[in-house]
Amino acid sequence: MTHLRSVGAAWRIASVAIALGVLAPVLSLAWLAVGSGLAHWSHLARHVLPQASLNTALLLTGVGVLVLVIGTGCAWLVTACDFPGRKVLHWALLLPLAMPTYIVAFAYLDLLHPIGPVQGAIRWALGFDSPRQFRLPDLRSMPGAIFVLGFVLYPYVYMTARAMFMTQPAHLMEAARTLGATRTGAFFRVALPLARPALAVGLSLALLETLNDIGASEFLGIQTLTVAVYTTWITRSDLAGAAQIACAMLFVVLALVLLERNGRRHQRFGSAQRMRAIQPRRLHGATAWLATFAAALPVMLGFVAPALYLVWETIKRLRLGTGISSGLVASLGNTIGLAAGVTVVTVAAGLVVAWAVRNQGSLGNGARWQARAAVLGYALPGTVLAIGLLTPALAFDGALGSLIGHPGLPLMGAGIVLVVACAIRFLAMPVGGIEAGLARIPPALEQASRLLGETASGTLRRVHLPLLRPAIAAASLLVFVDAMKELPATLLLRPANFDTLATLLYAEAARGTYEEGAMAALAIVVVGLLPVMLLARSGLSVQAEAAR
């Protein structure tokens, strides 16, 4: 019995340590912001926060409207209507998730350049010879940023809305039609209100990604709060000012998290999985092809066009005989090494937290708050997380260097601080996935193992881990790919002379050498397709289950 209690205490201590590790950057950020004096606040309030806050609010509003319209409309089309290409578009609408926002901005800056291929083709068709005679509005603007981010992030709303529409009972729509409502009226008065909780969840995720973005916003000339944090720290070497701007961002994050929590709390009212699902209505003629065009347009703009651009630029570079540069090879190795390290640390920490929650009867109800604290990192933008983590990391790193007789910053220089930052940010993925996997394992299996004399750790190793392999594999894949794409935290916490594919692309785009960054961007996109395929496969499984 004493041994079992000691094992349980070890799991609890580990879970508490992980939760406190996630909370540490937030507490450090608040301490740094409060302790830097009022002079910074007055300067920021006059010269930085008003414009950055306004730009952030406009960007969030524009992107929110766009992702709601595109995501909800496409989800309803592929659920309630049958048209040419529907089976392909059902999963293809998820493809923009493979495109980081900064890569799409990178591609469209060249595609829509006044002397680029798109505007050149339009001028040729209209009979113009020069950009002075005709040119599209500049992409480096607020509408341009809303366009880019909206067509990349709409799948968050599409996924949640589609899942809700597929599980809504068909008899509710039929009752509305019987009472005289048109199909459009039944959608707005029945289907859409039932899906509002799912829409709130998807919208909050899309807006959190918008708030986290730094590459696309900076490329397109939009001074958001995130960009202001980066420039204040890096360009002006003002860590205290950056911390205060980051604290202002936390209020926006809190509002988005509350929106998501509210949606999840009411999500059960829109679920009726055992009812007969909505059967898609066959469209004919011009209406059918119009539906195909409407559903395909987001895929073309959010994935196909930038992906083809990256492939074309890569082929052009290879044809020039320059080959693959040594910098690209080194960045690829750094990216894989960083992503692998983040994956191992994050999945291991997620397993500890999820197992502590599973055994909360023996470990105490405190495991619940530990699980909630552990997943907060996903809501923190990478810039906020980096600012908050820097001070405690530097203090610990300096003390460790003095202890081992190695002056300097051994952990920062080895990239360990960057790994920890990414692990904190992505911890929500394995915690949620493994918790869901554990929930599907019958308690009787665990009870039988314990009755046969196995310890809690032995039961985890011999019973649960083999059954959790699919959940762990899915979580590992998602963490690996997101770590490859992470830009803000990597820019701020990477060791000296350490480039990943994302930071290499950022540097090339900042210099305007788009052809040099195309191969790095293409590599990120190819790897990013893996989790999208996984999501599409799971979505098709859900649809088949709903149909039964």
Side-chain angles (χ1 to χ4, degrees):
M1 181 64 69
T2 302
H3 174 68
L4 292 178
R5 288 179 179 175
S6 64
V7 171
W11 282 102
R12 183 175 185 178
I13 291 171
S15 181
V16 169
I18 292 169
L20 292 178
V22 175
L23 293 175
V26 179
L27 300 177
S28 170
L29 182 69
W31 177 264
L32 184 62
V34 171
S36 57
L38 296 177
H40 280 89
W41 283 110
S42 60
H43 171 77
L44 293 173
R46 287 196 306 267
H47 303 291
V48 179
L49 287 178
Q51 189 61 51
S53 299
L54 177 61
N55 288 341
T56 302
L58 291 175
L59 185 63
L60 291 175
T61 301
V63 172
V65 171
L66 193 56
V67 298
L68 275 177
V69 171
I70 297 174
T72 307
C74 291
W76 183 249
L77 267 179
V78 300
T79 303
C81 301
D82 190 8
F83 49 87
R86 170 179 171 268
K87 291 183 178 179
V88 174
L89 290 169
H90 182 271
W91 59 264
L93 280 161
L94 293 172
L95 288 177
L97 284 178
M99 283 281 186
T101 53
Y102 56 86
I103 288 182
V104 178
F106 164 86
Y108 273 114
L109 278 173
D110 208 22
L111 282 172
L112 297 180
H113 194 275
I115 58 173
V118 174
Q119 296 206 47
I122 295 176
R123 284 194 297 271
W124 175 83
L126 296 177
F128 296 119
D129 300 323
S130 169
R132 296 179 181 178
Q133 297 174 298
F134 174 85
R135 62 185 298 172
L136 295 175
D138 192 359
L139 187 67
R140 287 186 170 92
S141 61
M142 182 63 70
I146 292 172
F147 163 79
V148 168
L149 292 171
F151 276 94
V152 176
L153 300 177
Y154 78 83
Y156 287 104
V157 175
Y158 169 75
M159 283 190 299
T160 55
R162 184 191 64 179
M164 184 63 75
F165 288 146
M166 287 192 303
T167 55
Q168 282 183 2
H171 72 268
L172 293 179
M173 295 292 293
E174 294 167 356
R177 295 299 308 281
T178 302
L179 293 173
T182 63
R183 288 189 174 90
T184 303
F187 168 73
F188 282 104
R189 300 178 65 180
V190 178
L192 195 59
L194 287 174
R196 277 186 298 187
L199 297 181
V201 174
L203 176 63
S204 64
L205 292 174
L207 295 183
L208 283 172
E209 289 298 322
T210 301
L211 192 63
N212 181 61
D213 172 73
I214 186 173
S217 299
E218 188 171 11
F219 293 164
L220 300 175
I222 305 300
Q223 180 78 356
T224 62
L225 288 170
T226 304
V227 176
V229 170
Y230 178 74
T231 55
T232 300
W233 182 4
I234 300 300
T235 305
R236 303 173 189 168
S237 301
D238 186 0
L239 182 59
Q244 290 169 340
I245 301 173
C247 281
M249 290 179 63
L250 288 180
F251 288 101
V252 183
V253 171
L254 179 62
L256 296 177
V257 170
L258 290 177
L259 172 67
E260 191 268 348
R261 291 294 181 187
N262 183 70
R264 286 189 185 276
R265 187 172 71 247
H266 297 293
Q267 197 167 13
R268 61 183 180 273
F269 297 118
S271 176
Q273 295 183 1
R274 295 185 179 181
M275 301 292 183
R276 179 170 57 87
I278 296 173
Q279 297 299 314
R281 179 174 63 95
R282 181 68 180 176
L283 302 180
H284 301 280
T287 303
W289 290 107
L290 181 62
T292 301
F293 174 78
L297 184 62
V299 183
M300 298 296 295
L301 295 177
F303 178 81
V304 175
L308 289 178
Y309 163 80
L310 296 178
V311 171
W312 176 249
E313 289 296 327
T314 300
I315 293 174
K316 282 172 57 178
R317 178 175 174 81
L318 294 176
R319 282 181 175 177
L320 291 175
T322 55
I324 301 175
S325 67
S326 59
L328 179 61
V329 174
S331 297
L332 177 60
N334 292 339
T335 303
I336 294 175
L338 173 63
V342 170
T343 301
V344 171
V345 172
T346 309
V347 173
L351 181 62
V352 170
V353 174
W355 183 245
V357 173
R358 169 78 169 193
N359 290 275
Q360 61 178 325
S362 59
L363 300 180
N365 292 329
R368 286 293 179 186
W369 79 261
Q370 296 158 27
R372 291 175 181 175
V375 302
L376 286 178
Y378 188 75
L380 297 177
T383 49
V384 173
L385 182 60
I387 294 284
L389 189 62
L390 184 66
T391 299
L394 288 176
F396 180 81
D397 212 2
L400 179 63
S402 300
L403 181 64
I404 63 177
H406 187 283
L409 302 172
L411 298 182
M412 184 76 75
I416 295 176
V417 175
L418 177 57
V419 171
V420 171
C422 292
I424 292 174
R425 173 150 171 74
F426 303 132
L427 185 56
M429 297 178 188
V431 169
I434 294 174
E435 272 191 317
L438 286 171
R440 290 193 293 267
I441 298 176
L445 294 179
E446 183 177 348
Q447 294 167 3
S449 174
R450 300 299 293 273
L451 288 173
L452 291 173
E454 189 59 84
T455 64
S457 299
T459 300
L460 173 64
R461 184 180 67 255
R462 301 181 63 182
V463 177
H464 291 86
L465 284 182
L467 297 175
L468 285 173
R469 284 176 184 170
I472 292 176
S476 300
L477 178 61
L478 292 172
V479 172
F480 184 88
V481 174
D482 274 1
M484 283 193 65
K485 298 187 294 185
E486 174 62 27
L487 179 62
T490 308
L491 276 174
L492 296 172
L493 295 176
R494 57 180 171 156
N497 301 318
F498 182 91
D499 270 320
T500 63
L501 292 175
T503 60
L504 176 67
L505 170 61
Y506 177 85
E508 298 294 352
R511 288 192 290 265
T513 53
Y514 298 103
E515 66 281 356
E516 296 291 331
M519 297 181 71
L522 185 60
I524 295 173
V525 171
V526 170
V527 177
L529 284 171
L530 295 175
V532 174
M533 294 169 63
L534 180 66
L535 287 171
R537 180 179 178 182
S538 63
L540 291 173
S541 299
V542 169
Q543 186 188 38
E545 184 66 27
R548 288 197 292 268

